[in-house]
Amino acid sequence: MNFTRWSARLPGTQRRAAARTEQTASPNRRGEGSVPAARTEQLTDEPPSVPAVDELRVREVLDRVPSLVALVHGPDHRIAYVNDAYTTTFGVRPLGERAREALPELDALGLFPLLDQVQRSGKPRTVKSRKAPDGRSYTFTCTPVAQGDGKGGSDGRGVLVFATDVTDHAEAAERLRASERRQRETAVTLQRSLLPQELEEPDDLRVAATYHPGGTEAAVGGDWYDVITLGGGRTALVIGDVMGRGVRAAAVMGQLRTAVRAYARLDLPPHEVLQLLDGLAAEIDANQIATCAYAVHDPNEGKLVYASAGHLPILVRDETGAVLRADEPTGPPLGTGGWMHASGSIPLGPGSTAVLYTDGLVERRDADLDEGIAALERALAGATGTPQVVCDRLVRSAGVTPDHDDDVAVLVLQHPARTGPESELFRNAALELLGGVEAAPRARAFASGVLTSWRFPAELHDLGVLATSELVANSLQHGTPPMRLRLRRTDRRLIIEVTDGDDHLPRRRRAEPGDESGRGIAIVATIASNWGCRRTPGGGKAVWCEFVLPRTQAP
């Protein structure tokens, strides 16, 4: 085959030839002030010009380029030409043979469908970094060419295959990807190790949570959640999201989660916990901010008291299936400083389900954030079953897949509506402490009657009455009205709590032998499984203790 007939029709050849003709013709026009080419050559000392690119023989150029070049023609892709680099790499290839049999390396690379496509469409195509049988990687560009007669037709069309060795680039890219995978695996491992390995199980709530790291193309973020039993039947629930990616975000998340657990033990209102956390976040990294929602559930109040630092609203599905959104109050993210957070509340009675989540569950690049939250509300309205079932259903409804582009954390809690025999294991009794010192014997008698009706064994009955007597006496001596005694039992513990109007918190101290007071809290701390105190909203305090029930009392 005459290769020059094909080279004359390579894309751009005719355009460059036409442009050269115009450029050489324009200086020779008469009457336009131009200098004849011959006179110009005489007046200059420049060396003779080198041959134009179009005057070079295409075959001589392609024979010498280090890239692999092959030319096939016709509908069955018969070999018209292979250059020296090609034969050096894959061996001599017979001209005129069908490429599918004579060029097995192209078949192994799956290029023949591409050759067909280029020949039909007349448009060039490129495939990047394909590994050839010789073990090296090449980028292949397939360009359509036609015979010089310009008649077209299927026999007059061919494809020029141009392969560039990109092995070094491919290996460098693979090393980079491997490094990124290792970094991501390290961040995911760190992230998961910092999350709760097992959620605490409150007496009055059922909880479940899930965490999905972003896909392999997305660096892991700093999403976290936690469940913290505060004592006295109360439970703190936390969810947060550190802005940023990678190990640094996961490390900051771990510090914030640890701090939240420490602050929660102080049993402060939610907004005060966020206030402390805000200052700490600024100290950890002034350039790193995080969102967080912190909520506290008290089964005696039937509501969720919460505060939010720039986080997405908590959603609550009540026993009728209606979904409420806890939008306000909310403040800026943690680490911004200069903001006084505030607490709000949302009903969470028996039969209710609440969901705390991070933005990866509802935020999409092609949709408004409010649309994502509204879609989550609709999914929650129809979600029933255990917390884990609800959690999985919400994740599926949001379309979260293994290659999702953002981390997702979801925390689901339910306040079950207990009926039948189970309801007998969750009981409450309360007494207003009216009058003066005579309130103490009334409180002891009340506690004795309640504990007897709850069929507690004699030892636990006596300990409960003693703890009630000491807490009431402490409140009568150091507190102010209104005063109230509350007894509560769950399937796992007995809780005794006394509230009054004074916000001075008692502390355990060592009483001297001659002291007439100061032993009440010490006695309670000695006989009870746990005790604590906290300030109550609107002023005042609550002092409580709890006893873990014997196995015979628990189901």
Side-chain angles (χ1 to χ4, degrees), residues 243 274-275 278 289-292 307-311 329-342:
M243 304 304 175
L274 290 190
Q275 208 71 50
D278 181 48
I289 61 174
T291 65
C292 180
S308 174
H311 204 77
T330 186
L334 302 174
T336 56
W339 182 270
M340 294 299 295
H341 292 274

PDB file of all heavy atoms in Angstrom, residues 243 274-275 278 289-292 307-311 329-342:
ATOM      1  N   MET A 243     -16.029  19.971  60.763  1.00  0.00           N
ATOM      2  CA  MET A 243     -15.798  20.360  59.380  1.00  0.00           C
ATOM      3  C   MET A 243     -14.370  19.981  58.977  1.00  0.00           C
ATOM      4  O   MET A 243     -13.428  20.202  59.730  1.00  0.00           O
ATOM      5  CB  MET A 243     -15.997  21.869  59.200  1.00  0.00           C
ATOM      6  CG  MET A 243     -17.366  22.349  59.646  1.00  0.00           C
ATOM      7  SD  MET A 243     -18.704  21.480  58.816  1.00  0.00           S
ATOM      8  CE  MET A 243     -20.128  22.151  59.672  1.00  0.00           C
ATOM      9  N   LEU A 274     -22.773  23.202  75.737  1.00  0.00           N
ATOM     10  CA  LEU A 274     -22.283  23.728  74.459  1.00  0.00           C
ATOM     11  C   LEU A 274     -21.413  24.958  74.667  1.00  0.00           C
ATOM     12  O   LEU A 274     -20.462  25.190  73.914  1.00  0.00           O
ATOM     13  CB  LEU A 274     -23.451  24.054  73.539  1.00  0.00           C
ATOM     14  CG  LEU A 274     -24.233  22.866  72.993  1.00  0.00           C
ATOM     15  CD1 LEU A 274     -25.200  23.341  71.907  1.00  0.00           C
ATOM     16  CD2 LEU A 274     -23.317  21.787  72.442  1.00  0.00           C
ATOM     17  N   GLN A 275     -21.719  25.749  75.697  1.00  0.00           N
ATOM     18  CA  GLN A 275     -20.902  26.927  75.969  1.00  0.00           C
ATOM     19  C   GLN A 275     -19.485  26.523  76.347  1.00  0.00           C
ATOM     20  O   GLN A 275     -18.497  27.098  75.861  1.00  0.00           O
ATOM     21  CB  GLN A 275     -21.537  27.734  77.106  1.00  0.00           C
ATOM     22  CG  GLN A 275     -21.248  29.215  77.056  1.00  0.00           C
ATOM     23  CD  GLN A 275     -21.977  29.901  75.911  1.00  0.00           C
ATOM     24  OE1 GLN A 275     -23.180  29.731  75.747  1.00  0.00           O
ATOM     25  NE2 GLN A 275     -21.256  30.661  75.115  1.00  0.00           N
ATOM     26  N   ASP A 278     -17.746  25.107  73.230  1.00  0.00           N
ATOM     27  CA  ASP A 278     -17.371  26.142  72.273  1.00  0.00           C
ATOM     28  C   ASP A 278     -15.983  26.706  72.592  1.00  0.00           C
ATOM     29  O   ASP A 278     -15.136  26.860  71.708  1.00  0.00           O
ATOM     30  CB  ASP A 278     -18.417  27.255  72.287  1.00  0.00           C
ATOM     31  CG  ASP A 278     -18.115  28.356  71.296  1.00  0.00           C
ATOM     32  OD1 ASP A 278     -17.821  28.038  70.126  1.00  0.00           O
ATOM     33  OD2 ASP A 278     -18.158  29.536  71.678  1.00  0.00           O
ATOM     34  N   ILE A 289     -13.874  24.200  62.936  1.00  0.00           N
ATOM     35  CA  ILE A 289     -15.168  24.411  63.567  1.00  0.00           C
ATOM     36  C   ILE A 289     -15.975  23.119  63.476  1.00  0.00           C
ATOM     37  O   ILE A 289     -15.669  22.223  62.683  1.00  0.00           O
ATOM     38  CB  ILE A 289     -15.957  25.577  62.926  1.00  0.00           C
ATOM     39  CG1 ILE A 289     -16.241  25.284  61.451  1.00  0.00           C
ATOM     40  CG2 ILE A 289     -15.198  26.875  63.088  1.00  0.00           C
ATOM     41  CD1 ILE A 289     -17.142  26.331  60.813  1.00  0.00           C
ATOM     42  N   ALA A 290     -16.990  23.030  64.308  1.00  0.00           N
ATOM     43  CA  ALA A 290     -17.807  21.820  64.336  1.00  0.00           C
ATOM     44  C   ALA A 290     -19.228  22.203  64.706  1.00  0.00           C
ATOM     45  O   ALA A 290     -19.467  23.197  65.398  1.00  0.00           O
ATOM     46  CB  ALA A 290     -17.251  20.820  65.342  1.00  0.00           C
ATOM     47  N   THR A 291     -20.175  21.413  64.239  1.00  0.00           N
ATOM     48  CA  THR A 291     -21.565  21.566  64.656  1.00  0.00           C
ATOM     49  C   THR A 291     -21.878  20.480  65.670  1.00  0.00           C
ATOM     50  O   THR A 291     -21.256  19.414  65.676  1.00  0.00           O
ATOM     51  CB  THR A 291     -22.533  21.463  63.464  1.00  0.00           C
ATOM     52  OG1 THR A 291     -22.469  20.138  62.910  1.00  0.00           O
ATOM     53  CG2 THR A 291     -22.178  22.482  62.398  1.00  0.00           C
ATOM     54  N   CYS A 292     -22.848  20.741  66.533  1.00  0.00           N
ATOM     55  CA  CYS A 292     -23.177  19.768  67.585  1.00  0.00           C
ATOM     56  C   CYS A 292     -24.585  20.020  68.093  1.00  0.00           C
ATOM     57  O   CYS A 292     -25.002  21.183  68.229  1.00  0.00           O
ATOM     58  CB  CYS A 292     -22.170  19.862  68.735  1.00  0.00           C
ATOM     59  SG  CYS A 292     -22.461  18.704  70.091  1.00  0.00           S
ATOM     60  N   ALA A 307     -29.943  21.783  73.003  1.00  0.00           N
ATOM     61  CA  ALA A 307     -29.311  23.002  72.494  1.00  0.00           C
ATOM     62  C   ALA A 307     -28.530  22.605  71.242  1.00  0.00           C
ATOM     63  O   ALA A 307     -28.031  21.479  71.142  1.00  0.00           O
ATOM     64  CB  ALA A 307     -28.392  23.628  73.533  1.00  0.00           C
ATOM     65  N   SER A 308     -28.422  23.532  70.302  1.00  0.00           N
ATOM     66  CA  SER A 308     -27.775  23.227  69.031  1.00  0.00           C
ATOM     67  C   SER A 308     -26.743  24.294  68.696  1.00  0.00           C
ATOM     68  O   SER A 308     -27.009  25.483  68.808  1.00  0.00           O
ATOM     69  CB  SER A 308     -28.818  23.147  67.908  1.00  0.00           C
ATOM     70  OG  SER A 308     -28.194  22.985  66.653  1.00  0.00           O
ATOM     71  N   ALA A 309     -25.565  23.840  68.282  1.00  0.00           N
ATOM     72  CA  ALA A 309     -24.516  24.745  67.803  1.00  0.00           C
ATOM     73  C   ALA A 309     -24.385  24.545  66.297  1.00  0.00           C
ATOM     74  O   ALA A 309     -23.536  23.785  65.828  1.00  0.00           O
ATOM     75  CB  ALA A 309     -23.195  24.458  68.510  1.00  0.00           C
ATOM     76  N   GLY A 310     -25.261  25.202  65.558  1.00  0.00           N
ATOM     77  CA  GLY A 310     -25.207  25.151  64.105  1.00  0.00           C
ATOM     78  C   GLY A 310     -25.579  23.820  63.498  1.00  0.00           C
ATOM     79  O   GLY A 310     -25.328  23.592  62.307  1.00  0.00           O
ATOM     80  N   HIS A 311     -26.155  22.914  64.292  1.00  0.00           N
ATOM     81  CA  HIS A 311     -26.450  21.581  63.769  1.00  0.00           C
ATOM     82  C   HIS A 311     -27.870  21.524  63.201  1.00  0.00           C
ATOM     83  O   HIS A 311     -28.700  22.396  63.431  1.00  0.00           O
ATOM     84  CB  HIS A 311     -26.293  20.527  64.867  1.00  0.00           C
ATOM     85  CG  HIS A 311     -26.015  19.159  64.334  1.00  0.00           C
ATOM     86  ND1 HIS A 311     -24.781  18.785  63.875  1.00  0.00           N
ATOM     87  CD2 HIS A 311     -26.825  18.091  64.167  1.00  0.00           C
ATOM     88  CE1 HIS A 311     -24.837  17.531  63.456  1.00  0.00           C
ATOM     89  NE2 HIS A 311     -26.072  17.093  63.617  1.00  0.00           N
ATOM     90  N   PRO A 329     -34.089  26.769  69.799  1.00  0.00           N
ATOM     91  CA  PRO A 329     -33.076  27.758  69.418  1.00  0.00           C
ATOM     92  C   PRO A 329     -31.829  27.084  68.845  1.00  0.00           C
ATOM     93  O   PRO A 329     -31.583  25.909  69.089  1.00  0.00           O
ATOM     94  CB  PRO A 329     -32.749  28.426  70.757  1.00  0.00           C
ATOM     95  CG  PRO A 329     -32.931  27.317  71.751  1.00  0.00           C
ATOM     96  CD  PRO A 329     -34.061  26.459  71.228  1.00  0.00           C
ATOM     97  N   THR A 330     -31.051  27.816  68.104  1.00  0.00           N
ATOM     98  CA  THR A 330     -29.795  27.304  67.576  1.00  0.00           C
ATOM     99  C   THR A 330     -28.796  28.444  67.504  1.00  0.00           C
ATOM    100  O   THR A 330     -29.162  29.604  67.333  1.00  0.00           O
ATOM    101  CB  THR A 330     -29.993  26.667  66.184  1.00  0.00           C
ATOM    102  OG1 THR A 330     -28.779  26.065  65.769  1.00  0.00           O
ATOM    103  CG2 THR A 330     -30.402  27.701  65.159  1.00  0.00           C
ATOM    104  N   GLY A 331     -27.530  28.110  67.660  1.00  0.00           N
ATOM    105  CA  GLY A 331     -26.472  29.103  67.600  1.00  0.00           C
ATOM    106  C   GLY A 331     -25.453  28.730  66.548  1.00  0.00           C
ATOM    107  O   GLY A 331     -25.616  27.735  65.839  1.00  0.00           O
ATOM    108  N   PRO A 332     -24.384  29.489  66.427  1.00  0.00           N
ATOM    109  CA  PRO A 332     -23.349  29.202  65.427  1.00  0.00           C
ATOM    110  C   PRO A 332     -22.557  27.957  65.807  1.00  0.00           C
ATOM    111  O   PRO A 332     -22.636  27.479  66.942  1.00  0.00           O
ATOM    112  CB  PRO A 332     -22.480  30.460  65.457  1.00  0.00           C
ATOM    113  CG  PRO A 332     -22.653  30.991  66.834  1.00  0.00           C
ATOM    114  CD  PRO A 332     -24.069  30.688  67.223  1.00  0.00           C
ATOM    115  N   PRO A 333     -21.777  27.418  64.882  1.00  0.00           N
ATOM    116  CA  PRO A 333     -20.980  26.224  65.179  1.00  0.00           C
ATOM    117  C   PRO A 333     -19.995  26.450  66.317  1.00  0.00           C
ATOM    118  O   PRO A 333     -19.646  27.583  66.665  1.00  0.00           O
ATOM    119  CB  PRO A 333     -20.253  25.955  63.854  1.00  0.00           C
ATOM    120  CG  PRO A 333     -21.098  26.591  62.807  1.00  0.00           C
ATOM    121  CD  PRO A 333     -21.684  27.808  63.459  1.00  0.00           C
ATOM    122  N   LEU A 334     -19.507  25.346  66.874  1.00  0.00           N
ATOM    123  CA  LEU A 334     -18.508  25.405  67.934  1.00  0.00           C
ATOM    124  C   LEU A 334     -17.204  25.951  67.378  1.00  0.00           C
ATOM    125  O   LEU A 334     -16.829  25.678  66.238  1.00  0.00           O
ATOM    126  CB  LEU A 334     -18.268  24.005  68.507  1.00  0.00           C
ATOM    127  CG  LEU A 334     -19.470  23.277  69.091  1.00  0.00           C
ATOM    128  CD1 LEU A 334     -19.081  21.856  69.481  1.00  0.00           C
ATOM    129  CD2 LEU A 334     -20.034  24.027  70.284  1.00  0.00           C
ATOM    130  N   GLY A 335     -16.513  26.706  68.196  1.00  0.00           N
ATOM    131  CA  GLY A 335     -15.229  27.256  67.791  1.00  0.00           C
ATOM    132  C   GLY A 335     -15.305  28.665  67.267  1.00  0.00           C
ATOM    133  O   GLY A 335     -14.270  29.289  67.020  1.00  0.00           O
ATOM    134  N   THR A 336     -16.520  29.207  67.088  1.00  0.00           N
ATOM    135  CA  THR A 336     -16.662  30.573  66.586  1.00  0.00           C
ATOM    136  C   THR A 336     -16.618  31.590  67.722  1.00  0.00           C
ATOM    137  O   THR A 336     -16.197  32.721  67.531  1.00  0.00           O
ATOM    138  CB  THR A 336     -17.975  30.725  65.804  1.00  0.00           C
ATOM    139  OG1 THR A 336     -19.078  30.328  66.641  1.00  0.00           O
ATOM    140  CG2 THR A 336     -17.959  29.839  64.575  1.00  0.00           C
ATOM    141  N   GLY A 337     -17.066  31.206  68.927  1.00  0.00           N
ATOM    142  CA  GLY A 337     -16.985  32.076  70.095  1.00  0.00           C
ATOM    143  C   GLY A 337     -17.940  33.249  70.039  1.00  0.00           C
ATOM    144  O   GLY A 337     -18.556  33.553  69.015  1.00  0.00           O
ATOM    145  N   GLY A 338     -18.091  33.929  71.192  1.00  0.00           N
ATOM    146  CA  GLY A 338     -18.873  35.150  71.252  1.00  0.00           C
ATOM    147  C   GLY A 338     -20.375  34.962  71.166  1.00  0.00           C
ATOM    148  O   GLY A 338     -21.101  35.897  70.821  1.00  0.00           O
ATOM    149  N   TRP A 339     -20.882  33.764  71.459  1.00  0.00           N
ATOM    150  CA  TRP A 339     -22.319  33.532  71.352  1.00  0.00           C
ATOM    151  C   TRP A 339     -22.816  32.853  72.616  1.00  0.00           C
ATOM    152  O   TRP A 339     -22.210  31.929  73.129  1.00  0.00           O
ATOM    153  CB  TRP A 339     -22.619  32.660  70.137  1.00  0.00           C
ATOM    154  CG  TRP A 339     -24.087  32.403  69.916  1.00  0.00           C
ATOM    155  CD1 TRP A 339     -24.820  31.373  70.429  1.00  0.00           C
ATOM    156  CD2 TRP A 339     -24.988  33.182  69.161  1.00  0.00           C
ATOM    157  NE1 TRP A 339     -26.125  31.463  70.023  1.00  0.00           N
ATOM    158  CE2 TRP A 339     -26.262  32.568  69.237  1.00  0.00           C
ATOM    159  CE3 TRP A 339     -24.856  34.355  68.410  1.00  0.00           C
ATOM    160  CZ2 TRP A 339     -27.389  33.090  68.603  1.00  0.00           C
ATOM    161  CZ3 TRP A 339     -25.976  34.859  67.772  1.00  0.00           C
ATOM    162  CH2 TRP A 339     -27.219  34.238  67.863  1.00  0.00           C
ATOM    163  N   MET A 340     -23.960  33.307  73.120  1.00  0.00           N
ATOM    164  CA  MET A 340     -24.573  32.677  74.282  1.00  0.00           C
ATOM    165  C   MET A 340     -25.627  31.694  73.786  1.00  0.00           C
ATOM    166  O   MET A 340     -26.641  32.087  73.209  1.00  0.00           O
ATOM    167  CB  MET A 340     -25.209  33.731  75.190  1.00  0.00           C
ATOM    168  CG  MET A 340     -24.212  34.669  75.828  1.00  0.00           C
ATOM    169  SD  MET A 340     -23.011  33.808  76.880  1.00  0.00           S
ATOM    170  CE  MET A 340     -24.088  33.170  78.167  1.00  0.00           C
ATOM    171  N   HIS A 341     -25.383  30.432  73.975  1.00  0.00           N
ATOM    172  CA  HIS A 341     -26.322  29.403  73.528  1.00  0.00           C
ATOM    173  C   HIS A 341     -27.531  29.356  74.457  1.00  0.00           C
ATOM    174  O   HIS A 341     -27.486  29.813  75.594  1.00  0.00           O
ATOM    175  CB  HIS A 341     -25.638  28.039  73.482  1.00  0.00           C
ATOM    176  CG  HIS A 341     -24.584  27.952  72.416  1.00  0.00           C
ATOM    177  ND1 HIS A 341     -24.867  27.617  71.117  1.00  0.00           N
ATOM    178  CD2 HIS A 341     -23.244  28.145  72.469  1.00  0.00           C
ATOM    179  CE1 HIS A 341     -23.761  27.604  70.407  1.00  0.00           C
ATOM    180  NE2 HIS A 341     -22.748  27.928  71.204  1.00  0.00           N
ATOM    181  N   ALA A 342     -28.606  28.798  73.957  1.00  0.00           N
ATOM    182  CA  ALA A 342     -29.840  28.682  74.729  1.00  0.00           C
ATOM    183  C   ALA A 342     -30.412  27.284  74.548  1.00  0.00           C
ATOM    184  O   ALA A 342     -30.175  26.623  73.541  1.00  0.00           O
ATOM    185  CB  ALA A 342     -30.857  29.730  74.274  1.00  0.00           C
TER     186      ALA A 342
END
